[in-house]
Amino acid sequence: MKLAVLILEDEPPVRDALERDLAPFRGAIRIEVAEDVDDAWAVVGEIDADDDRLALVLADHRLPGTTGVDFLVQLLADDRTRAARKVLVTGQADQADTIRAVNEAGLDRYVAKPWDPDELRAVVRNELTEHVLEHRLDPLPHLAALDAARVMVLLRDRGDR
Amino acid sequence: MSVRDDGDPRLLSVVVGTGPIAARVVEELRAEFRFVEVVEVADATAAAGLVEQPDEPQVPLVVVTSTVGSVDEAVDALDRFTVFASARVALVTDRQVHDDVAGAVDRDRLDAIVAVPWTAGALAGHARSQIARWLREHRPDDPRTDLLVTPEGRPLERPDSELLREMELEADDVTRQMLASIERVLGPRPRLRLPAGVRITHQDHPVDAVLLVLRGSVALDRTTRVGDLRLHHASTGPIVGLLSLAHQRRAYFTARTTTEVDVVHLSIEQLDRALREDPDLGAALAAVSIRALARRLRRAEQLQVEKIELNRTLDEERQRLREALTALEQARMELIAQARFATLGELAAGIAHELNNPVAALERAASYLAEDVGRVLATHPQGELADVALRSARDRPPRGTAEERQLRRALEPVTGDRDLARRLVAAGVTDPDMARQLLAADADLVGLLEAAAGIGGAVRNLELASRRITGLVSSLRSYARPDGDPLDDVDLHDGLDDTLRLTAHRLRGIEVARDYGELPRLRCHPAQLDQVWTNLLVNAADSLDGSGRITITTERPDDDHVRIRILDDGPGIDPEVLPRVFEPRFSTKQGTVRFGLGLGLGIAKRIVDDHGGRLTLASEPGRTEACVVLPIDGPPDDREARS
């Protein structure tokens, strides 16, 4: 089982850039991209079919026909996606959108465009770690994409037991 | 027995009723009139049959007796016939109380009431007066009027009583008669000749005398909180001071001569003596007083009416002021908005200019990068392959994410490894056979191709991004063009496209169809019109809320105009709100001015109006259309200035 990160972004250059900035995690985790909400659900289906686990969603706010916030809200209603960490990557969400994302979609992080690649990777690493800790997953297979220090604490505690 | 010219109609007096009362009425009227036929009928229908004769007799008088039952019903029935509708109506009754006359009184259809029994001749007297009035009103030239005189031979309608007689006299005559009576008792009275401006009574001072004004005018003034008011002038009357006798002998007004006057001064004692010794003087004095009071009362009533009218005018004025104030406030808000827009426009123009250099550098850097990488690759043993990968990645339009995954899946059987399949697709290798050959030849080559394709994709993205910035910059510059004289040869489609580009972030998810027709170039303020397009587009987009369709149609309805229609399939505008959408509205929030739909449309409409065009909005659920018609010739005031 692999942890999967889903990138939802409709503009190809931006999508490419996000995917490429997360390339160092490849190998440790599965990275999927989708250009719209329909495709995002298709990806969710594939991840599930492969017995992988959707751990993190990075969604743009402005999307064709909908908003990223709406998609994040939808995620809460599906067993396959409810547990995923949610990050909004946007340059345009106004205050009302953001408030709704936090209150209704349980938004975990907000990354403003243009992003700093190191910061983005730190956010992803951190959110994946949170996911692993929260759901008491075995961190070892995903270690390369996790926050080693925090996971070590967990491993040591577990070892003690 | 009728006394009339052949041209004059027969006159009938109709008595409605039965029994002894009606009989007595008929008897007395027949004895009185020679030229009015008196007929007796049981009810209105019978009466109508009687008068609808070929010679069309006329009816000056109807006498209704209390035997008819309901007087109102009888009069109503009669009034349905034109010939009776103008007749005078007298009621002869033996009842103590009548509760059946409200309608007749209300419609002014009851002229005289005579109680049974009446003094012999009294009814005839009433009938005479009523017929005389009818003749004077309806047949003023009828010679028979002259036959109507009192038994003493006095003309009719001259009152018998001294008081009523005096009241009918001219004011000057009464005054003269009064003075004559006074002088008979008191002997000749000296005339006081006073110039204008003399106060002959003093407000709130005791009054011990009355003044008879024989010539000239006197005004009555009163000092009040708001200053000296002239309350009577034409309505003063010939005796000054008399009414103060009813006011605890204190003058309510200051009476002031306004012309030279002749007055006669009478102390209260003298007046008292004159009244005592000449009883007729009392009637004259009363007549004069009543007349003066009546005039003052009418004046007061007139003032009351004027006051109400004035209040109403004042209310309207106040309402207009309120509206003006609101309009002014709105105009101020518009000005603020425009000033802000102008500032932003200048700022945007400046930024757009400054952006040109970095964008140019970016664009050049992208193509240099591609060239240089190409040169580097040329030195590599597999450079040719890598160069192909780079170029195809650079030139190929971006693939959809679903398509990309499909390609990867197709390669997975060849690679047996998802990541390797992904890398192959990224490297531009999508054909399974080619992938197989490549992996068999040199698996390490995948890394090189992937990198080359990555560079190609990056260069493409760079070029796309800089082209997009260039487009935005040029739109921004034309959008933020400062206002000045209108420009010639403007292509409206450019403005629409610029606006679409700049509002793209508001139009995400919305399908925009451009149905552009052939438009002539026109003279206008393009930057102002861009504001209009922005407003209409953003309104349409807001109503669609992220999904739907906007259609922009341009056409030339006639030789002199162009028409731009912006249609959306959103929920539509509330019909109650629709008539008011052009009214500027605004709200202030946290010290900043926020503009809703309304103010924007208000500004848009004004811009179109200033261009001599027309902006209309029609809306129903699923179909809201903003329509702008503009003259090709340019704004009207500008046309005048040029000609």
Side-chain angles (χ1 to χ4, degrees):
Chain A
M1 186 270 283
K2 274 197 168 187
L3 293 184
V5 174
L6 169 60
I7 295 167
L8 175 55
E9 166 65 62
D10 63 327
E11 284 201 50
V14 181
R15 194 167 62 229
D16 286 355
L18 282 170
E19 191 180 6
R20 179 139 185 184
D21 285 344
L22 297 186
F25 292 120
R26 257 188 222 295
I29 58 171
R30 174 171 177 175
I31 296 172
E32 294 284 355
V33 293
E35 62 192 349
D36 57 33
V37 169
D38 288 345
D39 198 39
W41 281 111
V43 171
V44 167
E46 289 173 17
I47 292 172
D48 191 55
D50 294 342
D51 273 336
D52 287 339
R53 182 184 174 96
L54 182 64
L56 173 63
V57 175
L58 302 173
D60 182 20
H61 178 55
R62 290 273 179 180
L63 291 168
T66 182
T67 68
V69 174
D70 286 332
F71 177 66
L72 295 182
V73 173
Q74 284 174 22
L75 293 181
L76 288 179
D78 194 301
D79 285 340
R80 299 168 296 176
T81 53
R82 190 173 300 124
R85 306 290 291 182
K86 300 172 194 71
V87 176
L88 208 54
V89 184
T90 181
Q92 281 163 341
D94 64 17
Q95 199 182 11
D97 292 329
T98 314
I99 287 170
R100 201 164 82 84
V102 171
N103 289 348
E104 292 178 32
L107 187 72
D108 296 297
R109 278 298 287 261
Y110 184 107
V111 175
K113 286 177 185 170
W115 63 91
D116 174 73
D118 288 333
E119 216 169 281
L120 179 75
R121 283 189 285 270
V123 166
V124 168
R125 188 180 294 278
N126 193 48
E127 293 305 320
L128 289 175
T129 308
E130 286 290 337
H131 182 78
V132 165
L133 294 180
E134 186 183 343
H135 296 279
R136 302 180 174 281
L137 304 177
D138 180 2
L140 288 175
H142 325 293
L143 209 49
L146 300 180
D147 180 341
R150 290 175 66 194
V151 173
M152 283 312 182
V153 173
L154 176 84
L155 286 175
R156 200 178 55 224
D157 290 353
R158 201 169 58 173
D160 288 348
R161 224 179 288 144
Chain B
M1 80 175 239
S2 59
V3 185
R4 59 190 178 107
D5 296 340
D6 288 342
D8 293 330
R10 197 148 59 93
L11 297 182
L12 284 183
S13 180
V14 177
V15 179
V16 186
T18 50
I21 296 179
R24 277 205 53 205
V25 171
V26 171
E27 189 188 338
E28 180 159 333
L29 293 185
R30 281 204 178 128
E32 171 71 20
F33 298 113
R34 283 180 300 137
F35 62 89
V36 179
E37 292 169 40
V38 181
V39 291
E40 183 183 348
V41 293
D43 54 32
T45 319
L50 206 73
V51 295
E52 283 176 349
Q53 302 286 332
D55 65 338
E56 295 182 1
Q58 295 196 354
V59 180
L61 176 67
V62 171
V63 180
V64 177
T65 69
S66 51
T67 58
V68 294
S70 165
V71 175
D72 268 344
E73 281 172 25
V75 175
D76 273 355
L78 284 168
D79 282 352
R80 277 199 279 277
F81 303 99
T82 324
V83 64
F84 293 122
S86 68
R88 319 275 312 177
V89 177
L91 169 63
V92 175
T93 178
D94 60 351
R95 287 191 234 161
Q96 304 253 303
V97 176
H98 267 281
D99 56 2
D100 54 352
V101 294
V105 171
D106 183 51
R107 287 183 294 110
D108 195 17
R109 293 296 289 133
L110 199 53
D111 299 296
I113 300 168
V114 177
V116 176
W118 64 88
T119 320
L123 178 68
H126 279 296
R128 205 162 48 226
S129 306
Q130 298 299 345
I131 291 173
R133 284 197 191 117
W134 185 90
L135 281 168
R136 220 162 286 154
E137 190 180 337
H138 297 283
R139 303 190 50 79
D141 299 326
D142 197 306
R144 289 169 290 190
T145 313
D146 297 336
L147 300 170
L148 293 164
V149 290
T150 60
E152 300 87 46
R154 255 188 317 109
L156 278 169
E157 296 208 24
R158 274 297 311 275
D160 285 346
S161 75
E162 192 72 22
L163 178 59
L164 290 185
R165 232 183 7 250
E166 302 268 18
M167 302 251 316
E168 295 212 338
L169 285 179
E170 288 298 315
D172 285 351
D173 293 340
V174 185
T175 314
R176 247 193 314 279
Q177 279 186 18
M178 214 168 72
L179 184 63
S181 300
I182 289 167
E183 288 188 323
R184 262 199 304 282
V185 178
L186 300 178
R189 298 294 307 158
R191 274 49 169 173
L192 309 182
R193 182 151 298 163
L194 306 172
V198 174
R199 287 171 297 165
I200 53 180
T201 64
H202 305 80
Q203 180 177 330
D204 298 330
H205 283 236
V207 175
D208 300 319
V210 299
L211 291 131
L212 207 56
V213 182
L214 303 177
R215 186 177 65 84
S217 315
V218 176
L220 301 184
D221 300 340
R222 185 167 165 82
T223 305
T224 69
R225 273 187 298 119
V226 293
D228 284 354
L229 298 183
R230 177 145 299 179
L231 293 168
H232 296 284
H233 194 197
S235 49
T236 300
I239 304 182
V240 174
L242 187 62
L243 297 176
S244 302
L245 299 182
H247 188 64
Q248 299 172 322
R249 294 207 182 176
R250 285 191 183 272
Y252 187 72
F253 296 113
T254 295
R256 198 179 264 117
T257 60
T258 58
T259 60
E260 190 183 75
V261 297
D262 284 349
V263 298
V264 168
H265 185 278
L266 288 172
S267 68
I268 297 293
E269 292 73 23
Q270 287 169 326
L271 184 65
D272 188 41
R273 201 181 128 210
L275 283 169
R276 223 169 32 232
E277 296 194 9
D278 186 349
D280 282 351
L281 187 59
L285 199 63
V288 168
S289 304
I290 289 174
R291 194 199 288 265
L293 276 176
R295 279 165 85 170
R296 290 196 199 168
L297 195 62
R298 249 196 309 276
R299 166 99 176 112
E301 287 157 352
Q302 190 190 336
L303 285 174
Q304 180 71 13
V305 169
E306 277 172 18
K307 192 184 94 184
I308 291 169
E309 284 171 350
L310 210 63
N311 273 340
R312 199 152 300 161
T313 316
L314 218 65
D315 278 348
E316 284 165 13
E317 204 67 35
R318 213 173 289 147
Q319 179 63 27
R320 269 201 291 279
L321 270 175
R322 248 198 308 270
E323 284 163 10
L325 192 68
T326 313
L328 211 64
E329 184 72 0
Q330 287 161 348
R332 195 175 71 90
M333 290 296 162
E334 278 192 27
L335 279 178
I336 292 173
Q338 285 204 318
R340 201 175 53 165
F341 186 83
T343 314
L344 284 176
E346 275 169 38
L347 208 64
I351 290 172
H353 185 74
E354 289 302 318
L355 278 175
N356 277 334
N357 281 339
V359 168
L362 208 61
E363 211 175 284
R364 299 312 310 134
S367 60
Y368 297 151
L369 192 65
E371 283 171 27
D372 293 348
V373 168
R375 285 218 297 275
V376 171
L377 284 177
T379 63
H380 192 275
Q382 301 288 354
E384 208 171 319
L385 262 179
D387 198 41
V388 170
L390 186 151
R391 278 178 204 288
S392 66
R394 183 183 170 183
D395 298 338
R396 163 172 63 81
R399 279 195 288 254
T401 49
E403 186 191 354
E404 194 121 332
R405 278 203 309 286
Q406 210 174 352
L407 293 170
R408 265 151 47 186
R409 266 199 302 276
L411 291 186
E412 273 173 36
V414 179
T415 61
D417 176 339
R418 204 156 57 194
D419 196 50
L420 190 53
R422 183 195 60 75
R423 288 176 60 198
L424 279 170
V425 171
V429 180
T430 53
D431 181 55
D433 290 336
M434 212 162 102
R436 206 171 287 120
Q437 284 171 25
L438 186 69
L439 290 176
D442 183 358
D444 293 341
L445 205 53
V446 178
L448 176 67
L449 294 185
E450 193 187 3
I455 291 170
V459 168
R460 184 193 66 222
N461 285 345
L462 263 177
E463 285 169 340
L464 277 179
S466 55
R467 217 170 300 146
R468 211 164 120 192
I469 293 173
T470 308
L472 283 172
V473 164
S474 96
S475 294
L476 205 57
R477 287 177 73 186
S478 64
Y479 191 94
R481 206 167 16 215
D483 283 342
D485 286 338
L487 300 180
D488 280 318
D489 290 336
V490 175
D491 184 348
L492 277 189
H493 293 149
D494 287 348
L496 283 165
D497 288 340
D498 282 343
T499 308
L500 280 173
R501 206 165 298 132
L502 292 176
T503 53
H505 64 287
R506 303 288 291 267
L507 300 171
R508 286 274 187 107
I510 294 164
E511 191 188 334
V512 178
R514 287 177 296 180
D515 184 5
Y516 288 173
E518 284 281 316
L519 286 195
R521 291 177 175 265
L522 58 108
R523 184 173 169 83
C524 64
H525 294 280
Q528 292 183 5
L529 289 181
D530 287 350
Q531 276 190 69
V532 175
W533 314 140
T534 305
N535 190 268
L536 299 180
L537 279 169
V538 167
N539 279 345
D542 285 351
S543 81
L544 292 175
D545 196 21
S547 67
R549 185 182 167 93
I550 293 177
T551 309
I552 306 173
T553 310
T554 65
E555 61 207 336
R556 184 176 186 175
D558 58 58
D559 284 351
D560 302 326
H561 295 89
V562 296
R563 180 162 61 202
I564 296 88
R565 288 180 296 155
I566 296 178
L567 173 78
D568 71 69
D569 59 358
I573 301 168
D574 185 341
E576 281 182 31
V577 176
L578 189 60
R580 306 201 334 258
V581 288
F582 293 119
E583 289 172 15
R585 257 167 298 153
F586 55 87
S587 62
T588 51
K589 229 179 226 177
Q590 297 157 359
T592 61
V593 183
R594 290 172 67 98
F595 300 97
L597 178 90
L599 186 57
L601 274 176
I603 290 182
K605 184 165 165 48
R606 224 207 36 235
I607 291 173
V608 174
D609 287 347
D610 289 349
H611 273 81
R614 212 172 57 244
L615 167 58
T616 52
L617 205 60
S619 182
E620 57 186 84
R623 189 185 163 81
T624 299
E625 184 180 270
C627 178
V628 176
V629 175
L630 292 169
I632 292 170
D633 242 14
D637 50 352
D638 160 65
R639 270 205 298 272
E640 282 161 28
R642 277 189 297 162
S643 60

